[in-house]
Amino acid sequence: MESALAAAAGLVALAFALCTLERWLDRRKRHELAWTVALAMFTLGAGALWLGASDGWNGATFRVFYLFGAILNVPFLALGTIYLLGGRRRGDGWAAGIALAGAFAAGVIAVAPLRAAVPAHRLPQGSEVFGPLPRVLAAVASGAGAMVVLGGAVWSAWRLRRRAGARPGSGRLAAANAVIALGTLVLGASGLLNSVLGQMEGFAVTLTVGITLLFAGFLSTNVRPARVAQPPVEDQT
C-alpha cells in the first residue's frame, strides 16, 4: 500500500515537473523554473519513500527523503510564488537566500550523526534518528514555505474572485487557486495523518493527495476560456 502510494506521488510529481519545465523552456518565466526545481525535489522525496517502503529503509535513503521531502521542496515552491506575485527583483533576492539556506541544510543532513539505527521496515520520525538541528530546519522550511504558498494562493483566489464578473475566466482561476491552497494544506497535514494512519502510510497519503491537488490546480490555470463566437457584421454601405 505504502509503496504504491509513494510511486503514484512520484509519477504525479514527475508529470507536474515536466509540465512546468516545458512552460519555462517556452516562456523563460522564473517562477516556473522555481516550481520545476521544487517538483523535481518532490519527485526525489517520493522516490526515496517508495524505495524505503518497498526495499527497506537505511540511513542513505532516509537522508534523501528527509532532505528533499521534508526540507527543500516547499521553500522552492514558495520561491515560485514570490517570483509570481513579488516580481523578479524581490524573487532574485529570496532565491539567493533560499539557495544558501538549502546548501546549508544539505550539508547538515549529509553529515548529521544518526542517534539510532534507521528501522528497515517503517519510516521513523525525525526525532528518532536526528538531533535538534535537522528537525528545526525541517519545521522552519516546511512551515514557512507552506504559509507563503497558501497565502499567495488564497490572496490570488480572493483577488480573482472579485474580478469574476469583469474578466472572462477569473472565476475559474479563482477556483484553481483555491484548489492549490487546499493541496498545500493537505501536504502540511502530514503530522495529523501520521498519527491516524501510521507514519509511512500517512506520508504517502499526503504526498499523493497533496501533489495531485496542486497539479490539478496548475492545470486549471492553463485552460483558456472558450471564445464566444461573434456574429458577422453586415455591410451597411
Side-chain angles (χ1 to χ4, degrees):
M1 177 65 174
E2 295 87 359
S3 59
L5 286 170
L11 290 174
V12 172
L14 179 60
F16 197 171
L18 291 175
C19 286
T20 56
L21 176 61
E22 181 182 23
R23 289 194 63 182
W24 176 72
L25 291 173
D26 182 51
R27 308 194 308 177
R28 300 292 175 171
K29 299 291 185 180
R30 296 197 177 191
H31 66 276
E32 290 163 353
L33 177 60
W35 288 341
T36 300
V37 172
L39 292 163
M41 292 176 178
F42 269 111
T43 304
L44 289 172
L49 181 63
W50 171 80
L51 184 62
S54 59
D55 199 40
W57 288 94
N58 55 49
T61 305
F62 183 74
R63 289 178 195 271
V64 171
F65 169 77
Y66 205 79
L67 179 63
F68 294 109
I71 297 178
L72 292 184
N73 51 4
V74 180
F76 278 90
L77 198 64
L79 178 61
T81 299
I82 294 171
Y83 267 120
L84 183 63
L85 300 180
R88 177 171 177 173
R89 178 177 295 181
R90 185 172 298 175
D92 284 346
W94 278 98
I98 290 173
L100 287 173
F104 174 75
V108 168
I109 297 303
V111 302
L114 300 179
R115 300 172 61 182
V118 177
H121 301 296
R122 67 176 179 86
L123 174 63
Q125 294 182 344
S127 58
E128 296 180 55
V129 178
F130 285 133
L133 183 56
R135 290 182 283 134
V136 169
L137 290 173
V140 172
S142 60
M147 288 298 295
V148 171
V149 176
L150 178 61
V154 170
W155 183 78
S156 297
W158 175 80
R159 185 181 62 175
L160 289 165
R161 186 63 180 171
R162 292 185 61 189
R163 301 178 181 176
R167 292 181 60 182
S170 294
R172 173 184 53 79
L173 290 174
N177 277 277
V179 172
I180 291 171
L182 179 60
T184 305
L185 286 173
V186 171
L187 287 173
S190 59
L192 176 61
L193 286 177
N194 287 348
S195 63
V196 175
L197 299 179
Q199 294 167 354
M200 194 180 295
E201 188 172 345
F203 272 110
V205 168
T206 54
L207 279 172
T208 306
V209 176
I211 199 66
T212 300
L213 287 171
L214 288 175
F215 194 18
F218 172 82
L219 291 177
S220 297
T221 64
N222 290 281
V223 177
R224 295 182 179 179
R227 294 183 178 180
V228 178
Q230 299 293 330
V233 179
E234 295 182 1
D235 189 356
Q236 300 296 328
T237 58

